[in-house]
Amino acid sequence: MSQDCDVLIAGAGPVGLVLACDLARRGVKARLIDKNEGPTDLSKAIGVHARSLELFQDLGIVDEAIKRGAAMRGALIFSGEHKLVELDLDKLDSPYPMLLDLVQGETERLLIEHLESLGGHPERNVELLSFEQDTDGVTATLRNSSGAEETCRAAYLVGCDGAHSTVRHALELSFEGEALPNNMILADVHLAWDMPPDRIIMEFAQDGLLFAAPIAGGRARILGDIPDDVTDITLEVVQDFMNARSPVPVTVSDPVWLTTFRISERQVDRYREGRVFVAGDAAHVHSPAGGQGMNTGMQDVYNLGWKLGLAVSGRANDELLESYNGERHPVGAQVLKETGTMLRMVNIKSIVGRVTRDTLMGLLGPRETVQKRLRLQLSQHAINYRGSKLVADHWHHGHQEIKAGERAPDGPLVDPQGKTTTLFETMRGTNHVLLAFAGGVGDGPVRQCAEAVAARHGDLVNAMVIDGGTGSWGDPGHALHDRYGAREGAIFVIRPDGYVGLASHPADMAPLGDYFGRVFKAAG
């Protein structure tokens, strides 16, 4: 049966849009459908974390995102009027040491504009009704706003269609978990108070949580638990809520969104069934603590996009597609655990429990080791794929600073023409990158490995010899060598999603051949 597209994407929220953009730049013919008329007009998710900003850099839209948003530089955590912890994001090891305040609707519009610049667009008022899959593809039945139905044939289907996912239901995936009993208030309002405009505020009040994050237009997002019998949220209700919990006097005004909601913590048992995948809220929902939801979903498809690109071109082994579930399912489970723990910690009701929590946070929170751990968790830099079957360490000499499966860090570089740049800017694009650290040596095994990889996989891998003499990339002061713990002869393969696929020292063609043999299917 002939195909109408390579990949059918159900759901044009941030997750589906990131996938569509990633596939478009790979030359993959994708069809993006959504049953809604346009981008959300509600703020919804309001924070883009550092790891997702690095994704945006790879797509080429990070500067515009930052221009449209506002940088949050940290968080202040209070118990009553007493400040327990001040978290500083400026020390985050990233080109973007911040949480970007950007409401979801604006994130969607930014991604739509980028998708259109790549020749794509979301199809609105188009609903996925059902689908069937076979060994060669997926046949989906769609319905447009006029009620007319059509059939779409695709090689793959990805469900980015939210917590009530049609794709998940059709696959009959279990969605294990629970709905928490907390009744939560959400209010986007203007706050007049003496708090820094670039900090998130958390208050562990006697009767519950207050979370306040600045958002665009001089307003703030207010979250917290409220009594079950409070369902009609008015400005007066929000003012009373803030009077009871704010660490400083505050006046509330100018509301644009007032509602209540309940938190569910659920995850599917698997992210892939044959030629069909689920991502984002279709695969996992959890507490809004830490603002992890949208970011986790975008990282889901950042992991999946390059694998689908190779599969569509006939260059991916099935092991590569299966690694999506193997790598992202544990991440979803970990995010679920961490956000749930955060919510339960702030909602401790007993006096002894609150005193113990506040004392420990006040003592341990300012310590740099604790600060670093918090920064890594909130930014999603702590996420890694070290247990993946797709990554490998062959490190036999010296201390290994960066392990296979970990996020590849950035650093300064000088290109062969003498222009100063960064590793992240150099890695932008759709290919793997081979970093061959020569340590000042102009030839030898490092260069031979780089030349062999370029000859065999040059259409899929950008091979870079660093500090290897004539024609190589410069590493001023050996800063990048030091950052990677690389000595002469060390080799790293960086995947298109910015994670280390292979770390090898000394340089050796055997592990390189084994790695690419598991990732790439031979051309033709």
Side-chain angles (χ1 to χ4, degrees):
M1 185 181 296
S2 62
Q3 292 178 355
D4 301 303
C5 61
D6 297 318
V7 180
L8 175 63
I9 306 169
V15 177
L17 284 163
V18 166
L19 180 58
C21 290
D22 195 25
L23 294 177
R25 66 177 180 158
R26 298 175 189 281
V28 174
K29 184 180 179 182
R31 187 174 178 186
L32 176 62
I33 63 170
D34 195 288
K35 63 182 179 181
N36 297 315
E37 293 184 358
T40 179
D41 57 359
L42 299 174
S43 54
K44 292 189 176 181
I46 59 172
V48 183
H49 285 295
R51 188 68 188 116
S52 295
L53 290 173
E54 291 166 8
L55 184 168
F56 283 5
Q57 180 189 26
D58 187 35
L59 291 178
I61 60 173
V62 69
D63 291 339
E64 183 61 25
I66 292 173
K67 179 181 177 182
R68 298 186 187 191
M72 297 294 102
R73 298 298 181 182
L76 300 175
I77 302 176
F78 292 84
S79 178
E81 298 178 357
H82 177 59
K83 184 172 70 174
L84 298 176
V85 180
E86 181 170 359
L87 177 63
D88 183 7
L89 292 178
D90 286 338
K91 296 181 181 179
L92 189 65
D93 180 20
S94 172
Y96 312 103
M98 68 179 81
L99 168 65
L100 183 68
D101 161 28
L102 188 68
V103 297
Q104 182 173 324
E106 195 60 39
T107 299
E108 291 181 14
R109 283 184 282 275
L110 173 64
L111 288 164
I112 290 169
E113 291 167 13
H114 185 59
L115 179 60
E116 291 174 343
S117 75
L118 295 170
H121 67 280
E123 297 179 40
R124 299 294 182 180
N125 300 306
V126 178
E127 182 178 5
L128 173 68
L129 298 179
S130 63
F131 62 86
E132 295 180 352
Q133 62 172 314
D134 51 55
T135 56
D136 298 319
V138 180
T139 303
T141 300
L142 313 178
R143 181 172 60 202
N144 62 28
S145 58
S146 67
E149 296 185 5
E150 66 167 297
T151 298
C152 175
R153 178 72 175 174
Y156 300 96
L157 167 65
V158 184
C160 305
D161 48 346
H164 304 289
S165 170
T166 297
V167 175
R168 184 185 67 242
H169 285 297
L171 291 176
E172 298 183 346
L173 300 178
S174 65
F175 205 33
E176 298 297 328
E178 60 179 342
L180 302 186
N182 307 70
N183 186 31
M184 305 291 290
I185 185 174
L186 184 154
D188 288 351
V189 295
H190 184 273
L191 296 181
W193 64 348
D194 186 20
M195 282 291 175
D198 61 349
R199 294 292 189 276
I200 294 168
I201 307 301
M202 291 182 66
E203 166 67 49
F204 301 160
Q206 184 172 347
D207 55 349
L209 166 71
L210 163 63
F211 172 92
I215 57 176
R219 293 186 176 87
R221 161 70 51 82
I222 304 301
L223 293 174
D225 54 313
I226 56 173
D228 288 343
D229 58 355
V230 179
T231 57
D232 183 19
I233 305 300
T234 64
L235 188 62
E236 290 72 25
V237 169
V238 179
Q239 182 68 65
D240 290 342
F241 173 85
M242 293 298 295
N243 289 342
R245 301 194 187 183
S246 174
V248 297
V250 59
T251 300
V252 178
S253 63
D254 196 18
V256 293
W257 191 19
L258 305 175
T259 189
T260 60
F261 68 98
R262 292 187 183 270
I263 297 169
S264 288
E265 296 179 334
R266 301 184 186 278
Q267 185 184 25
V268 295
D269 56 338
R270 60 194 183 280
Y271 286 16
R272 178 197 182 195
E273 183 67 35
R275 289 178 170 269
V276 183
F277 305 82
V278 289
D281 286 355
H284 46 76
V285 293
H286 42 77
S287 161
Q292 301 293 299
M294 179 183 70
N295 291 273
T296 302
M298 293 192 296
Q299 293 296 327
D300 285 343
V301 293
Y302 195 40
N303 179 289
L304 179 61
W306 67 273
K307 299 171 182 179
L308 281 176
L310 288 172
V312 166
S313 67
R315 300 293 298 275
N317 293 317
D318 189 69
E319 180 182 1
L320 182 65
L321 288 179
E322 186 56 32
S323 72
Y324 169 63
N325 177 75
E327 293 179 345
R328 291 305 297 178
H329 192 279
V331 169
Q334 183 65 26
V335 170
L336 205 69
K337 178 181 178 181
E338 290 174 355
T339 57
T341 299
M342 290 172 63
L343 184 66
R344 289 165 177 82
M345 180 185 70
V346 301
N347 277 327
I348 294 174
K349 299 299 183 183
S350 73
I351 295 176
V352 173
R354 291 202 308 269
V355 170
T356 302
R357 176 200 62 199
D358 294 354
T359 300
L360 288 175
M361 290 192 69
L363 289 173
L364 301 178
R367 296 184 180 182
E368 178 55 26
T369 53
V370 176
Q371 291 266 319
K372 182 177 180 181
R373 182 177 179 182
L374 290 173
R375 288 194 295 266
L376 291 175
Q377 286 182 338
L378 290 174
S379 65
Q380 300 201 337
H381 279 189
I383 290 171
N384 66 77
Y385 306 131
R386 286 196 294 263
S388 172
K389 297 178 181 179
L390 201 66
V391 306
D393 283 311
H394 292 270
W395 204 271
H396 302 297
H397 298 298
H399 173 68
Q400 186 176 0
E401 184 74 21
I402 305 297
K403 294 179 173 60
E406 295 180 346
R407 165 188 169 270
D410 198 14
L413 276 176
V414 177
D415 72 16
Q417 288 73 46
K419 181 181 177 182
T420 300
T421 183
T422 66
L423 178 59
F424 277 10
E425 277 298 307
T426 303
M427 292 195 310
R428 276 185 56 190
T430 59
N431 280 358
H432 279 71
V433 175
L434 172 67
L435 301 180
F437 288 95
V441 178
D443 52 13
V446 164
R447 187 171 292 277
Q448 292 170 13
C449 287
E451 291 175 350
V453 168
R456 184 172 179 81
H457 302 295
D459 59 330
L460 300 174
V461 183
N462 301 332
M464 300 169 56
V465 177
I466 300 176
D467 203 22
T470 304
S472 71
W473 293 74
D475 181 12
H478 274 201
L480 203 62
H481 277 72
D482 293 342
R483 185 66 188 85
Y484 277 76
R487 302 194 308 177
E488 178 183 328
I491 285 179
F492 292 83
V493 176
I494 313 302
R495 308 183 337 176
D497 58 358
Y499 288 85
V500 177
L502 172 71
S504 178
H505 181 57
D508 189 349
M509 275 304 300
L512 277 171
D514 178 68
Y515 174 79
F516 288 125
R518 284 183 289 122
V519 174
F520 302 145
K521 186 185 296 183

